């Protein structure tokens, strides 16, 4: 029998019957951990972009296509400011009441705009950040910055803002997981098990790799994942990544009776992703007898 991920006594749905994943506590503990880290390093403010990064520290996520369409200013001793794209700015404030300050985001869509427009928009963006810092008596203080592109960094420098790398802060802050974060990771791993079960049921000679990968992804998302992904590898691509002799030997031993396949799957729940993989041996039909 296959060994699946540990069984959980709760799932993606929330209920008043048990705690499960306490989302409010998870948001609070992540923010408190970053504030303590920033205070210890003497960094009063962090400017970050990327939907997953902003979600990690503020609990806000947008579905727009570009990295820098939204961003946030996170403070060691004040409430964060979320700079949201137009659609989210209109629809989300009453859906995310824990975010107290909302502003319109300024974006040049990763360089799609003409150079003159990028220069103008990035200058407005930098002035926006400068004014928010000044309003909190942080003018002249260092600003940690994570994943802002080159035009944005140049505009911040032109606005007189001293910047330092912010990604190390994000990495250090997220190294130690809270109990709720561990529950999210466990839930994502459990959801990915649905992909393996769908694969095991569908894997048979003549079935296309793309068909099985699509079944696995649908099974993961139907089980409750925010995002499901699956990719099926078969033949030599699924052999152990060892020496050439080991691979050739295994290929000769397996090709007589089975077609090897490897299925990596990803399940995401509340922005926490579990990536798992499993080897499956697919029996091949017996070859018809040859005639002399």
């Amino acid at each position: 029998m296959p060994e699946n991920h540990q069984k959980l006594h709760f799932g993606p749905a929330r209920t008043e019957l048990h705690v499960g994943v306490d989302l409010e506590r998870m948001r609070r503990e992540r923010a408190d951990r970053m504030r303590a880290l920033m205070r210890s390093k003497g960094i009063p403010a962090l400017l970050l972009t990327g939907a997953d990064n902003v979600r990690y520290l503020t609990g806000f996520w947008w579905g727009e296509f570009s990295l820098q369409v939204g961003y946030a200013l996170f403070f060691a001793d004040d409430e964060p400011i979320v700079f949201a794209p137009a659609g989210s700015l209109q629809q989300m404030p009453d859906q995310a009441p824990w975010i107290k300050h909302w502003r319109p985001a300024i974006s040049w869509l990763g360089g799609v705009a003409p150079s003159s427009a990028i220069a103008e928009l990035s200058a407005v963006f930098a002035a926006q950040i400068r004014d928010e810092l000044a309003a909190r008596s942080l003018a002249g203080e260092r600003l940690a910055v994570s994943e802002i592109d080159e035009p944005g960094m140049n505009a911040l420098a032109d606005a007189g803002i001293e910047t330092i790398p912010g990604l190390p802060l994000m990495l250090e802050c997220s190294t130690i997981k809270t109990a709720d974060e561990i529950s999210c990771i466990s839930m994502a791993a459990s959801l990915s098990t649905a992909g393996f079960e769908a694969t095991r049921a569908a894997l048979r000679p003549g079935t296309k790799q793309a068909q099985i990968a699509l079944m696995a992804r649908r099974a993961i998302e139907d089980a409750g994942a925010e995002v499901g992904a699956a990719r099926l590898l078969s033949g030599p691509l699924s052999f152990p990544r060892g020496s050439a002799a080991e691979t050739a030997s295994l290929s000769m031993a397996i090709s007589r009776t089975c077609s090897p396949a490897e299925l990596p799957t990803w399940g995401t729940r509340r922005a926490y992703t579990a990536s798992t993989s499993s080897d499956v041996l697919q029996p091949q039909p017996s070859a018809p007898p040859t005639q002399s």
Side-chain angles (χ1 to χ4, degrees):
M1 291 295 293
E3 293 184 5
N4 295 329
H5 191 75
Q6 67 188 54
K7 289 182 171 62
L8 301 174
H9 70 278
F10 57 87
R14 299 185 67 181
T15 173
E16 76 278 10
L17 301 179
H18 53 74
V19 175
V21 177
D22 189 326
L23 301 181
E24 183 177 354
R25 179 177 63 192
M26 185 168 68
R27 285 192 298 264
R28 183 180 65 251
E29 289 180 348
R30 289 187 305 204
D32 288 346
R33 189 164 62 241
M34 176 58 86
R35 289 191 176 97
L37 180 62
M38 292 169 64
R39 292 183 190 117
S40 70
K41 297 180 180 296
I43 300 173
L46 166 65
L47 172 63
L48 68 158
T49 189
D52 292 334
N53 291 336
V54 174
R55 177 176 182 171
Y56 181 82
L57 286 183
T58 70
F60 168 71
W61 188 88
W62 65 90
E64 282 76 5
F65 62 93
S66 183
L67 173 72
Q68 207 169 298
V69 168
Y71 43 94
L73 262 178
F74 189 85
F75 300 101
D77 296 298
D78 207 340
E79 292 290 330
I81 305 172
V82 167
F83 299 83
S88 298
L89 186 64
Q90 295 297 321
Q91 302 297 332
M92 288 304 297
D94 62 337
Q95 301 298 311
W98 57 87
I99 299 173
K100 307 302 182 184
H101 306 297
W102 296 84
R103 305 285 188 274
I106 306 296
S107 177
W108 42 96
L109 303 179
V112 174
S115 57
S116 58
I118 293 175
E120 180 180 349
L121 290 169
S122 61
V124 175
F125 155 80
Q128 182 186 51
I129 302 302
R130 180 195 60 208
D131 293 345
E132 296 292 352
L133 294 174
R136 289 157 180 79
S137 302
L138 296 177
E141 297 283 353
R142 296 181 302 166
L143 173 66
V145 178
S146 179
E147 298 195 58
I148 299 295
D149 63 13
E150 184 177 357
M153 295 298 294
N154 291 338
L156 292 172
D158 292 341
I161 301 173
E162 179 186 356
T163 60
I164 59 174
L167 183 58
L169 281 174
M170 294 295 299
L171 295 176
E172 185 174 348
C173 181
S174 61
T175 297
I176 300 175
K177 306 301 183 187
T178 68
D180 293 305
E181 289 177 300
I182 293 172
S183 292
C184 286
I185 295 171
S186 296
M187 195 185 305
S190 291
L191 294 173
S192 70
T193 299
F196 291 121
E197 296 300 330
T199 299
R200 186 174 290 109
L203 193 63
R204 59 181 57 89
T207 307
K208 295 181 180 180
Q209 293 178 206
Q211 291 175 319
I212 296 177
L214 181 59
M215 292 177 190
R217 174 180 177 178
R218 286 177 174 171
I220 293 170
E221 293 181 344
D222 287 346
E226 292 180 355
V227 178
R231 185 168 63 112
L232 182 69
L233 306 176
S234 64
L237 291 176
S238 65
F239 293 154
R241 276 59 163 176
S243 64
E246 176 189 0
T247 301
S249 175
L250 181 64
S251 174
M252 293 177 62
I254 289 181
S255 62
R256 297 187 183 94
T257 58
C258 299
S259 173
E262 179 183 55
L263 179 72
T265 66
W266 295 265
T268 300
R269 188 61 191 168
R270 310 201 192 285
Y272 291 90
T273 301
S275 176
T276 56
S277 63
S278 178
D279 294 325
V280 182
L281 293 181
Q282 172 191 333
Q284 295 279 29
S286 301
T290 59
Q291 297 180 354
S292 59

